[in-house]
Amino acid sequence: MDFLIGLALIVFGAPLVGLLGNALEGSGRKGLGRAIGIGVYLAVLVVAGWLIIRGF
């Protein structure tokens, strides 16, 4: 089950975080948007990778 959750995070969660970062950058908060876009994106990928590895 962890494997499927990890894949879902990569497929759906990471792009949504990227869209949120782009929306914040477009609203005039470039620094905050970039920080969220990169930082949370990497955090989602780390958690997804951990879940996928744990699934084996």
Side-chain angles (χ1 to χ4, degrees):
M1 188 70 182
D2 290 337
F3 182 79
L4 294 176
I5 294 171
L7 283 179
L9 276 175
I10 290 174
V11 171
F12 299 111
L16 288 176
V17 170
L19 289 175
L20 176 66
N22 285 338
L24 285 173
E25 280 186 45
S27 70
R29 297 179 167 232
K30 290 192 183 236
L32 180 65
R34 186 159 293 144
I36 287 177
I38 294 172
V40 178
Y41 181 78
L42 289 176
V44 167
L45 289 180
V46 166
V47 169
W50 176 70
L51 285 171
I52 290 172
I53 290 170
R54 197 175 102 177
F56 285 112

